[in-house]
PDB file of all heavy atoms in Angstrom:
ATOM      1  N   ASP D 303     144.171 231.047  27.936  1.00 98.00           N
ATOM      2  CA  ASP D 303     144.399 231.534  29.243  1.00 98.00           C
ATOM      3  C   ASP D 303     143.104 231.327  30.044  1.00 98.00           C
ATOM      4  O   ASP D 303     143.222 231.004  31.203  1.00 98.00           O
ATOM      5  CB  ASP D 303     144.789 233.057  29.312  1.00 98.00           C
ATOM      6  CG  ASP D 303     146.207 233.207  28.732  1.00 98.00           C
ATOM      7  OD1 ASP D 303     146.961 232.253  28.716  1.00 98.00           O
ATOM      8  OD2 ASP D 303     146.589 234.348  28.395  1.00 98.00           O
ATOM      9  N   LEU D 304     142.105 231.600  29.458  1.00 98.00           N
ATOM     10  CA  LEU D 304     140.736 231.482  30.153  1.00 98.00           C
ATOM     11  C   LEU D 304     140.488 230.080  30.652  1.00 98.00           C
ATOM     12  O   LEU D 304     140.218 229.943  31.855  1.00 98.00           O
ATOM     13  CB  LEU D 304     139.631 232.010  29.336  1.00 98.00           C
ATOM     14  CG  LEU D 304     138.281 232.102  29.951  1.00 98.00           C
ATOM     15  CD1 LEU D 304     138.180 233.317  30.934  1.00 98.00           C
ATOM     16  CD2 LEU D 304     137.201 232.321  28.849  1.00 98.00           C
ATOM     17  N   VAL D 305     140.646 229.051  29.681  1.00 98.00           N
ATOM     18  CA  VAL D 305     140.202 227.801  30.200  1.00 98.00           C
ATOM     19  C   VAL D 305     141.126 227.226  31.184  1.00 98.00           C
ATOM     20  O   VAL D 305     140.791 226.310  32.052  1.00 98.00           O
ATOM     21  CB  VAL D 305     140.065 226.712  28.994  1.00 98.00           C
ATOM     22  CG1 VAL D 305     138.803 227.216  28.104  1.00 98.00           C
ATOM     23  CG2 VAL D 305     141.346 226.553  28.093  1.00 98.00           C
ATOM     24  N   ARG D 306     142.416 227.774  31.120  1.00 98.00           N
ATOM     25  CA  ARG D 306     143.404 227.299  32.057  1.00 98.00           C
ATOM     26  C   ARG D 306     143.141 227.764  33.492  1.00 98.00           C
ATOM     27  O   ARG D 306     143.635 227.447  34.569  1.00 98.00           O
ATOM     28  CB  ARG D 306     144.859 227.585  31.736  1.00 98.00           C
ATOM     29  CG  ARG D 306     145.289 226.506  30.662  1.00 98.00           C
ATOM     30  CD  ARG D 306     146.698 226.733  30.195  1.00 98.00           C
ATOM     31  NE  ARG D 306     146.719 227.929  29.414  1.00 98.00           N
ATOM     32  CZ  ARG D 306     147.920 228.438  28.976  1.00 98.00           C
ATOM     33  NH1 ARG D 306     148.965 227.799  29.194  1.00 98.00           N
ATOM     34  NH2 ARG D 306     147.930 229.568  28.364  1.00 98.00           N
ATOM     35  N   SER D 307     142.204 228.757  33.573  1.00 98.00           N
ATOM     36  CA  SER D 307     141.750 229.332  34.874  1.00 98.00           C
ATOM     37  C   SER D 307     140.384 228.851  35.308  1.00 98.00           C
ATOM     38  O   SER D 307     139.946 229.276  36.399  1.00 98.00           O
ATOM     39  CB  SER D 307     141.547 230.977  34.788  1.00 98.00           C
ATOM     40  OG  SER D 307     142.828 231.477  34.430  1.00 98.00           O
ATOM     41  N   ILE D 308     139.843 227.962  34.567  1.00 98.00           N
ATOM     42  CA  ILE D 308     138.558 227.339  34.948  1.00 98.00           C
ATOM     43  C   ILE D 308     138.810 226.000  35.524  1.00 98.00           C
ATOM     44  O   ILE D 308     139.422 225.088  34.856  1.00 98.00           O
ATOM     45  CB  ILE D 308     137.568 227.357  33.760  1.00 98.00           C
ATOM     46  CG1 ILE D 308     137.309 228.591  33.030  1.00 98.00           C
ATOM     47  CG2 ILE D 308     136.280 226.542  34.059  1.00 98.00           C
ATOM     48  CD1 ILE D 308     136.493 228.667  31.788  1.00 98.00           C
ATOM     49  N   GLN D 309     138.197 225.842  36.794  1.00 98.00           N
ATOM     50  CA  GLN D 309     138.575 224.600  37.432  1.00 98.00           C
ATOM     51  C   GLN D 309     137.524 223.538  37.369  1.00 98.00           C
ATOM     52  O   GLN D 309     137.711 222.447  38.034  1.00 98.00           O
ATOM     53  CB  GLN D 309     138.668 224.935  38.973  1.00 98.00           C
ATOM     54  CG  GLN D 309     139.719 226.092  39.238  1.00 98.00           C
ATOM     55  CD  GLN D 309     141.222 225.703  38.928  1.00 98.00           C
ATOM     56  OE1 GLN D 309     141.595 224.472  39.098  1.00 98.00           O
ATOM     57  NE2 GLN D 309     141.913 226.583  38.438  1.00 98.00           N
ATOM     58  N   THR D 310     136.505 223.763  36.575  1.00 98.00           N
ATOM     59  CA  THR D 310     135.400 222.747  36.439  1.00 98.00           C
ATOM     60  C   THR D 310     135.506 222.072  35.013  1.00 98.00           C
ATOM     61  O   THR D 310     136.051 222.745  34.135  1.00 98.00           O
ATOM     62  CB  THR D 310     134.054 223.322  36.664  1.00 98.00           C
ATOM     63  OG1 THR D 310     132.997 222.282  36.913  1.00 98.00           O
ATOM     64  CG2 THR D 310     133.581 224.281  35.515  1.00 98.00           C
ATOM     65  N   PRO D 311     135.257 220.730  34.917  1.00 98.00           N
ATOM     66  CA  PRO D 311     135.315 220.181  33.592  1.00 98.00           C
ATOM     67  C   PRO D 311     134.636 220.908  32.496  1.00 98.00           C
ATOM     68  O   PRO D 311     133.546 221.406  32.722  1.00 98.00           O
ATOM     69  CB  PRO D 311     134.842 218.682  33.682  1.00 98.00           C
ATOM     70  CG  PRO D 311     134.896 218.502  35.247  1.00 98.00           C
ATOM     71  CD  PRO D 311     134.661 219.786  35.913  1.00 98.00           C
ATOM     72  N   LEU D 312     135.182 220.866  31.234  1.00 98.00           N
ATOM     73  CA  LEU D 312     134.647 221.560  30.065  1.00 98.00           C
ATOM     74  C   LEU D 312     134.947 220.866  28.860  1.00 98.00           C
ATOM     75  O   LEU D 312     135.992 220.065  28.863  1.00 98.00           O
ATOM     76  CB  LEU D 312     135.018 223.042  30.127  1.00 98.00           C
ATOM     77  CG  LEU D 312     136.486 223.449  30.186  1.00 98.00           C
ATOM     78  CD1 LEU D 312     137.044 223.339  28.842  1.00 98.00           C
ATOM     79  CD2 LEU D 312     136.501 224.800  30.880  1.00 98.00           C
ATOM     80  N   GLU D 313     134.305 221.110  27.797  1.00 98.00           N
ATOM     81  CA  GLU D 313     134.779 220.708  26.544  1.00 98.00           C
ATOM     82  C   GLU D 313     134.990 221.913  25.618  1.00 98.00           C
ATOM     83  O   GLU D 313     134.531 222.955  25.882  1.00 98.00           O
ATOM     84  CB  GLU D 313     133.793 219.756  25.849  1.00 98.00           C
ATOM     85  CG  GLU D 313     133.578 218.486  26.571  1.00 98.00           C
ATOM     86  CD  GLU D 313     132.525 217.593  25.897  1.00 98.00           C
ATOM     87  OE1 GLU D 313     132.278 217.803  24.648  1.00 98.00           O
ATOM     88  OE2 GLU D 313     132.044 216.656  26.597  1.00 98.00           O
ATOM     89  N   LEU D 314     135.891 221.698  24.563  1.00 97.00           N
ATOM     90  CA  LEU D 314     136.233 222.875  23.689  1.00 97.00           C
ATOM     91  C   LEU D 314     135.935 222.633  22.198  1.00 97.00           C
ATOM     92  O   LEU D 314     135.938 221.515  21.806  1.00 97.00           O
ATOM     93  CB  LEU D 314     137.817 223.026  23.719  1.00 97.00           C
ATOM     94  CG  LEU D 314     138.652 223.541  24.951  1.00 97.00           C
ATOM     95  CD1 LEU D 314     140.031 223.654  24.576  1.00 97.00           C
ATOM     96  CD2 LEU D 314     138.032 224.902  25.311  1.00 97.00           C
ATOM     97  N   ASP D 315     135.581 223.790  21.587  1.00 97.00           N
ATOM     98  CA  ASP D 315     135.424 223.625  20.147  1.00 97.00           C
ATOM     99  C   ASP D 315     135.641 225.063  19.563  1.00 97.00           C
ATOM    100  O   ASP D 315     135.853 226.067  20.340  1.00 97.00           O
ATOM    101  CB  ASP D 315     134.059 223.123  19.850  1.00 97.00           C
ATOM    102  CG  ASP D 315     134.007 222.393  18.431  1.00 97.00           C
ATOM    103  OD1 ASP D 315     134.927 222.664  17.633  1.00 97.00           O
ATOM    104  OD2 ASP D 315     133.000 221.711  18.206  1.00 97.00           O
ATOM    105  N   PHE D 316     135.731 225.167  18.296  1.00 97.00           N
ATOM    106  CA  PHE D 316     136.054 226.483  17.670  1.00 97.00           C
ATOM    107  C   PHE D 316     135.010 226.682  16.421  1.00 97.00           C
ATOM    108  O   PHE D 316     134.595 225.729  15.808  1.00 97.00           O
ATOM    109  CB  PHE D 316     137.331 226.495  17.163  1.00 97.00           C
ATOM    110  CG  PHE D 316     138.406 226.564  18.199  1.00 97.00           C
ATOM    111  CD1 PHE D 316     138.976 225.437  18.663  1.00 97.00           C
ATOM    112  CD2 PHE D 316     138.815 227.752  18.856  1.00 97.00           C
ATOM    113  CE1 PHE D 316     139.963 225.438  19.684  1.00 97.00           C
ATOM    114  CE2 PHE D 316     139.804 227.768  19.856  1.00 97.00           C
ATOM    115  CZ  PHE D 316     140.368 226.606  20.243  1.00 97.00           C
ATOM    116  N   VAL D 317     134.757 227.935  16.256  1.00 97.00           N
ATOM    117  CA  VAL D 317     134.001 228.312  14.978  1.00 97.00           C
ATOM    118  C   VAL D 317     134.874 229.507  14.439  1.00 97.00           C
ATOM    119  O   VAL D 317     135.760 229.968  15.092  1.00 97.00           O
ATOM    120  CB  VAL D 317     132.727 228.838  15.252  1.00 97.00           C
ATOM    121  CG1 VAL D 317     131.689 227.718  15.672  1.00 97.00           C
ATOM    122  CG2 VAL D 317     132.441 230.133  16.197  1.00 97.00           C
ATOM    123  N   ALA D 318     134.736 229.741  13.048  1.00 95.00           N
ATOM    124  CA  ALA D 318     135.351 230.857  12.514  1.00 95.00           C
ATOM    125  C   ALA D 318     134.211 231.715  11.753  1.00 95.00           C
ATOM    126  O   ALA D 318     133.266 231.142  11.281  1.00 95.00           O
ATOM    127  CB  ALA D 318     136.460 230.443  11.629  1.00 95.00           C
TER     128      ALA D 318
END
Side-chain angles (χ1 to χ4, degrees):
D303 288 341
L304 186 71
V305 295
R306 284 181 291 178
S307 298
I308 300 177
Q309 306 294 323
T310 193
L312 53 82
E313 293 181 24
L314 289 184
D315 207 342
F316 292 94
V317 293

